[in-house]
Amino acid sequence: MRKSLLGHLAPVLLVVLWSSGFVGATFAAPVAPATTTLLWRYVVAAPLMLVAVLALRRRYRPRYLRREAVLGALGQAGYLYGVFRAVEAGLPAGTAALLASLQPALVAVVLSGFGRKGGRRQAVGLAVGFAGVALAVGPDAVAGTGTEGALWALAGMLSLSAAAVLGDLWPAPEEEHDVLDSLAMQGVVALAFFAVVALASGQAAPPADPSFWLAIAWLVGLAFLGGYGMYLYVQRTRGPVAVSTWLYLTPAVSAAWAWAMFGERLPLLTVVGFAISLAGVLVVRPAPDRERTSRDRPLADARS
């Protein structure tokens, strides 16, 4: 019963918690560079995860560590660095969300080349979802967009897409591991990446402002443990196209976070766009049991 309830609630939790990352970034932006924020997010998160897996006496083989290192470098370090650098370069949040929304279609197209056929229903759902995002972020999203920021956002989107595809195509080791293991191993990889970047740029020292640590607590508890944890869980149970498609809803939900917490305007177009994106997501999404069955078959073939 507990697993069934989590399976039904996980996509909703994914959207809400993934969107919370934009709130944490908003908290930290006035007092610290993006690189400093990302470094200290993992300075706090990675040791917590390591303590947890050590307390549980988890053991990992080199094959598993190699797989999680690659997925962590792409899905956490590469994605976050691209998004934060895009915002630093002046890319509007709506434009970043619009570019990120290319991910589900890209993942679906790439996987179709490996025998994961989605059919007309999936194509229609992806198109409807993207249209909803375009409406939610508004017609002014692309106004004044700089090339540098757009390229960083696209790089982050491509990095997360690569992680989603590889996570599906790269067979996991035979031994049983769960989301906690992935969070711990990938968090260590992200920590190493951002430590190198922050030290090289002279941005490793945290600011004295107490609001910075509030932002770090938010980013660790909600965005990392909650948002990325739910991302990994939904990807495991429903597949890479499904988890990517649910992210169509995050721009509008992020706007709702900003409206509730910072008093920012919540346009009617954003609400309408959310409803259209939700319709597209509901068209694409498979049932958890059916998705697991369809994914296990090609993975089993890959092992043989």
Side-chain angles (χ1 to χ4, degrees):
M1 176 69 73
R2 184 176 302 170
K3 285 188 176 180
S4 176
L5 180 61
L6 179 59
H8 285 91
L9 292 179
V12 177
L13 293 173
L14 164 66
V15 173
V16 173
L17 293 171
W18 189 275
S19 303
S20 73
F22 296 99
V23 178
T26 302
F27 278 146
V31 296
T35 301
T36 307
T37 302
L38 289 168
L39 169 64
W40 285 94
R41 164 177 167 157
Y42 287 100
V43 166
V44 174
L48 288 176
M49 295 294 95
L50 286 178
V51 167
V53 296
L54 288 174
L56 294 171
R57 298 183 179 181
R58 301 290 177 90
R59 296 291 184 268
Y60 308 109
R61 295 184 180 182
R63 182 185 174 192
Y64 177 77
L65 294 176
R66 286 194 298 269
R67 181 178 185 271
E68 294 303 311
V70 172
L71 297 181
L74 292 169
Q76 296 204 45
Y79 168 69
L80 289 172
Y81 191 62
V83 169
F84 274 72
R85 284 298 303 267
V87 173
E88 277 193 335
L91 190 73
T95 310
L98 190 62
L99 293 173
S101 295
L102 297 172
Q103 188 212 5
L106 177 62
V107 170
V109 168
V110 173
L111 287 178
S112 68
F114 293 89
R116 312 295 206 274
K117 301 297 184 183
R120 183 179 301 176
R121 180 170 177 262
Q122 184 182 88
V124 170
L126 291 172
V128 171
F130 182 79
V133 173
L135 190 62
V137 301
D140 298 329
V142 296
T145 298
T147 302
E148 181 185 355
L151 289 176
W152 276 115
L154 285 172
M157 181 273 293
L158 290 171
S159 190
L160 186 61
S161 299
V165 171
L166 279 176
D168 188 68
L169 297 178
W170 191 345
E174 296 294 335
E175 60 266 23
E176 185 67 26
H177 294 298
D178 56 25
V179 170
L180 175 63
D181 301 301
S182 293
L183 283 175
M185 297 304 103
Q186 294 184 26
V188 170
V189 171
L191 171 59
F193 174 85
F194 289 119
V196 170
V197 174
L199 290 170
S201 61
Q203 296 180 330
D209 195 313
S211 64
F212 174 77
W213 297 108
L214 174 62
I216 294 301
W218 183 284
L219 288 169
V220 171
L222 295 181
F224 176 70
L225 297 179
Y228 200 71
M230 284 294 105
Y231 179 89
L232 293 173
Y233 179 81
V234 175
Q235 182 176 13
R236 286 168 181 257
T237 56
R238 302 191 180 215
V241 175
V243 72
S244 298
T245 305
W246 279 102
L247 298 186
Y248 272 148
L249 304 179
T250 57
V253 175
S254 297
W257 273 106
W259 168 76
M261 299 191 66
F262 306 119
E264 295 185 9
R265 193 170 63 92
L266 185 63
L268 179 60
L269 275 179
T270 298
V271 179
V272 175
F274 173 85
I276 295 174
S277 293
L278 179 59
V281 170
L282 294 178
V283 169
V284 173
R285 91 199 196 293
D289 291 339
R290 186 180 68 190
E291 174 64 10
R292 178 178 289 276
T293 300
S294 65
R295 292 177 62 218
D296 288 347
R297 187 177 301 112
L299 290 181
D301 294 341
R303 292 192 186 101
S304 60

